[in-house]
Amino acid sequence: MYDFLIGPMLAVTLVIFIGGLAYRIHQFFQLSGEVKIDPAALPKDIRTDVENREKEEYVRINSASDVFLKWKIKLKRTFLGKHPVFSAVTIVFHLILLFLPIVTVGHNVLLDDYFGFRFPTLSESTVDNLTLLFILLFLFFFLRRILSARVRSVSTWRDYLALFATGAPFITGFLAFHQIFSYDIILYLHIICGELMLIAIPFTKLAHMPFFILARFMIRNELSFGTGTRKWLENN
């Protein structure tokens, strides 16, 4: 069973995952189009706060003060600026989700065996503590969807599916590490849950992961890292 899960099943999972990501990237470019940087299209509040500068200077935004001012104005209008504590919790949750599997010793052993390379790893105790933190944050988001009337009213089964798809690999990994219940069964469940999460990323609400990264680097006026060279098409 173990050899099948980390052999043929893993290969199929990676093919679906990579193919799904390629489809989502293609979809991103279909839903967005290239734009030229037009000084007149800059946010009005930026023009007002820096009204002594020429419009051409807005396009370049070369000085550190301009960059700081631009980000300060953007942040004030975002969820991050309005709810910093909840945003910090969300950021920690996503950082652990993205990076903890990469720096886990057991995962890197498999990487080394199959692909001949490995990433730097954290100690087992650190990984264990971060896993426990992730599980607590997972429970927080789960209970929030149930107990908060506002969040519950807009939640669908797809939201719960995406949440459990991300939480299950960490919960089963934690149980396997501490050898709670049958180690072999929990280990199999951990591998299956991890592979199902990879498969789910391109085809469920977890697809916001590649879209988020692409948008932050390429879409204008979405807290982009730079001025942005694309915008969402209006008919989408």
Side-chain angles (χ1 to χ4, degrees), residues 7 12 53 56 114 140:
V12 171
R53 296 183 179 273
E56 290 79 5
Y114 282 89
F140 165 76

Side-chain angles (χ1 to χ4, degrees), residues 13-176:
T13 297
L14 292 177
V15 169
I16 297 175
F17 172 68
I18 295 172
L21 283 184
Y23 164 74
R24 286 301 188 182
I25 293 172
H26 173 71
Q27 186 182 44
F28 170 83
F29 284 98
Q30 283 188 320
L31 296 174
S32 63
E34 291 188 12
V35 292
K36 294 181 179 179
I37 303 299
D38 181 7
L42 289 167
K44 184 178 179 180
D45 47 9
I46 293 182
R47 297 200 305 273
T48 301
D49 289 323
V50 205
E51 59 186 4
N52 293 328
R53 296 183 179 273
E54 297 294 331
K55 288 184 177 181
E56 290 79 5
E57 293 180 354
Y58 295 129
V59 183
R60 294 193 296 271
I61 311 182
N62 285 327
S63 71
S65 60
D66 283 337
V67 174
F68 176 78
L69 177 61
K70 176 187 175 185
W71 278 84
K72 182 178 179 181
I73 294 171
K74 281 185 174 185
L75 282 172
K76 286 183 177 179
R77 300 196 305 263
T78 65
F79 190 86
L80 176 61
K82 296 176 180 178
H83 305 279
V85 176
F86 181 79
S87 298
V89 171
T90 303
I91 290 171
V92 171
F93 178 84
H94 284 84
L95 286 176
I96 296 176
L97 172 64
L98 290 174
F99 294 107
L100 191 59
I102 297 176
V103 297
T104 299
V105 174
H107 297 168
N108 276 274
V109 170
L110 291 176
L111 277 176
D112 195 23
D113 289 342
Y114 282 89
F115 303 105
F117 73 93
R118 58 190 300 157
F119 296 102
T121 59
L122 297 176
S123 66
E124 289 186 343
S125 61
T126 302
V127 171
D128 186 44
N129 291 331
L130 289 175
T131 301
L132 180 58
L133 174 60
F134 182 89
I135 293 173
L136 294 175
L137 295 178
F138 161 81
L139 292 174
F140 165 76
F141 286 114
F142 174 65
L143 293 175
R144 177 174 175 267
R145 288 201 175 275
I146 295 176
L147 301 178
S148 172
R150 180 178 60 83
V151 179
R152 186 173 63 247
S153 65
V154 297
S155 297
T156 67
W157 65 270
R158 292 181 177 85
D159 297 292
Y160 290 100
L161 175 64
L163 185 59
F164 278 100
T166 57
F170 289 84
I171 295 173
T172 53
F174 183 82
L175 294 176

